[in-house]
Amino acid sequence: MSGKTALVLGGGGARGAYEIGVWQALRETGIEPSLVVGASVGAINAAVIAQGSFELATDLWVNLNIGMVFDANPLKSDDLPLRKLLDEHIDEAAIRNSPVEFGLVTVELPSFTPHYLFIEDIPEGKLIDFILASASLFPAILPQEIDKTRYADGGYYDGIPVKMALDRKADNIVAVDLGSGIAKRNQIKNFDNIIYIRSSWDLGSIISFGGQNAARIMRLGYLDTLKRYGFFDGDWFTFALKSFSKRDLLRAEAAGRIFGLSAETIYSRSVYEATLIERVEKYRKELSEDLAQLQAAIQKKKRLPGPSLISLLGKANEKSLTIWLTDLIKTRRLPAIKFMPLLREPLMAARYLVKLRSLG
């Protein structure tokens, strides 16, 4: 990737761990942003990236807890835990002297005027104030007053500040969307040289900090970035290149979601299929009542009337529906179902499972 690369980090609270996973992947692939900007938690991560503190970032996110970020009574306290955290870990001098340009967006109150600020726009000694302002997600964090002006979370106006990268004439933009706030997506779509990274998985609550959840989110950011740069295939899951045709990939991933395969693993096709088979066979042995009901009903009637089908679907889960459809396809007894959109995911999964000969 030649030319000036900008990393644009969106807001999303505890989901911010995902952005550190993105950074890890960029580091490993030799992509070094010369500009990093962010909104809300993205501004915090951008500051850590600008000062080059990767180990600090990973340790901090895994060990973070909600008490280190939010005060239990924000309306009654000026002693904000997040300020203490920033004071301890953000090195203003290092950021000002960094070869990586830094910027953030915050919103002035009460006019809701956006302020896109680069490091040279922020007065000496005020960096943490403005980072905190960009991350002031009301009501959990009150608006910040700086030199008699009140500022709030930058995500209220622009959740993914691509504008800042465009203003600095970036040749390439890596934009990370955590699924929160207002993203200027038209700007993203209209820029040709952009890598847009957003997880297909639910990244969880914006207040679920630390621990296994942070490690999982970080891992997803890492894998999604490697996939966007063509090192692996897959959308929901991560596969060795050219493991599947496009159609098989859609069906295989549907089956993986339904039967709960891990999104944090890099799979070969053989390992993925073996894991999936094991999950399906285990569920078959459990012989759930839902599956038995569906099988009994279809034996009596080759074509289920609409109301009966809806009633059965209401009692079944996606696993039992998938196995039921798999059995019907294998025996060529799939009925003409008028409500097929309701079964889209299980049907895709079933058609994939039929191809696996070792299934019973």
Side-chain angles (χ1 to χ4, degrees):
M1 183 180 289
S2 60
K4 183 176 183 178
T5 297
L7 177 59
V8 182
L9 304 176
R15 301 170 188 168
Y18 183 88
E19 294 172 338
I20 303 304
V22 173
W23 184 25
Q24 178 187 359
L26 294 178
R27 283 164 54 92
E28 291 184 7
T29 54
I31 298 170
E32 299 181 2
S34 52
L35 168 67
V36 58
V37 298
S40 195
V41 73
I44 298 174
N45 282 335
V48 175
I49 292 171
Q51 71 185 42
S53 302
F54 178 71
E55 290 76 15
L56 167 66
T58 55
D59 290 345
L60 184 60
W61 273 105
V62 170
N63 294 299
L64 203 59
N65 62 64
I66 192 169
M68 297 166 66
V69 180
F70 301 131
D71 191 282
N73 297 297
L75 299 178
K76 298 181 180 179
S77 174
D78 295 325
D79 186 19
L80 188 67
L82 182 56
R83 178 178 289 280
K84 180 181 179 182
L85 193 69
L86 296 179
D87 283 335
E88 291 175 352
H89 298 292
I90 298 298
D91 185 338
E92 181 169 342
I95 293 172
R96 290 188 181 277
N97 294 319
S98 174
V100 180
E101 296 180 82
F102 166 80
L104 58 79
V105 58
T106 185
V107 176
E108 181 181 336
L109 299 177
S111 64
F112 265 79
T113 302
H115 289 264
Y116 293 94
L117 304 173
F118 293 97
I119 188 64
E120 64 268 22
D121 303 319
I122 298 173
E124 292 274 353
K126 300 285 187 180
L127 176 59
I128 289 177
D129 292 331
F130 277 97
I131 292 174
L132 192 57
S134 181
S136 294
L137 182 63
F138 183 82
I141 300 177
L142 295 179
Q144 301 301 298
E145 186 171 315
I146 306 173
D147 298 329
K148 298 183 179 180
T149 302
R150 295 169 70 237
Y151 298 92
D153 195 300
Y156 287 134
Y157 182 82
D158 190 351
I160 309 177
V162 171
K163 176 184 184 301
M164 302 183 75
L166 298 175
D167 289 346
R168 286 295 167 103
K169 309 299 182 183
D171 298 293
N172 309 288
I173 296 177
V174 180
V176 185
D177 184 354
L178 300 180
S180 299
I182 302 171
K184 303 295 184 183
R185 288 190 172 87
N186 288 336
Q187 293 178 350
I188 295 174
K189 292 176 181 178
N190 292 335
F191 191 73
D192 292 333
N193 298 326
I194 190 163
I195 298 292
Y196 177 66
I197 301 174
R198 178 174 179 172
S199 179
S200 296
W201 296 98
D202 182 357
L203 297 181
S205 167
I206 63 172
I207 60 172
S208 295
F209 290 95
Q212 291 184 346
N213 187 53
R216 168 185 168 269
I217 292 171
M218 206 178 304
R219 176 69 172 171
L220 293 178
Y222 173 76
L223 293 176
D224 285 344
T225 304
L226 293 178
K227 285 184 284 187
R228 290 293 289 116
Y229 278 94
F231 290 95
F232 297 100
D233 282 338
D235 181 13
W236 297 82
F237 298 93
T238 304
F239 303 103
L241 289 174
K242 299 181 180 179
S243 296
F244 298 92
S245 67
K246 185 175 181 179
R247 184 175 67 175
D248 278 352
L249 179 62
L250 289 172
R251 293 176 175 180
E253 291 199 308
R257 289 195 301 275
I258 289 172
F259 287 93
L261 270 64
S262 171
E264 300 166 51
T265 300
I266 298 174
Y267 294 100
S268 65
R269 178 164 184 162
S270 61
V271 169
Y272 186 80
E273 292 182 341
T275 307
L276 181 59
I277 289 169
E278 182 181 350
R279 294 288 180 89
V280 173
E281 290 180 340
K282 180 180 178 181
Y283 188 76
R284 277 188 182 278
K285 290 177 182 178
E286 293 174 2
L287 195 60
S288 74
E289 292 183 5
D290 291 339
L291 178 58
Q293 268 193 318
L294 286 167
Q295 290 174 330
I298 200 61
Q299 286 175 0
K300 294 178 180 178
K301 297 181 179 180
K302 291 185 178 180
R303 184 185 182 97
L304 290 176
S308 298
L309 177 62
I310 292 176
S311 176
L312 285 171
L313 293 181
K315 296 177 182 178
N317 60 42
E318 282 195 311
K319 291 180 183 178
S320 59
L321 284 172
T322 299
I323 293 177
W324 169 62
L325 290 168
T326 301
D327 291 343
L328 292 179
I329 294 171
K330 288 171 68 176
T331 57
R332 299 183 180 182
R333 292 189 292 124
L334 184 67
I337 302 175
K338 296 181 180 180
F339 300 92
M340 200 61 78
L342 295 172
L343 303 175
R344 182 177 180 275
E345 287 281 294
L347 188 57
M348 283 200 303
R351 284 175 171 155
Y352 179 69
L353 293 180
V354 168
K355 296 185 67 173
L356 305 183
R357 295 179 179 177
S358 51
L359 279 176

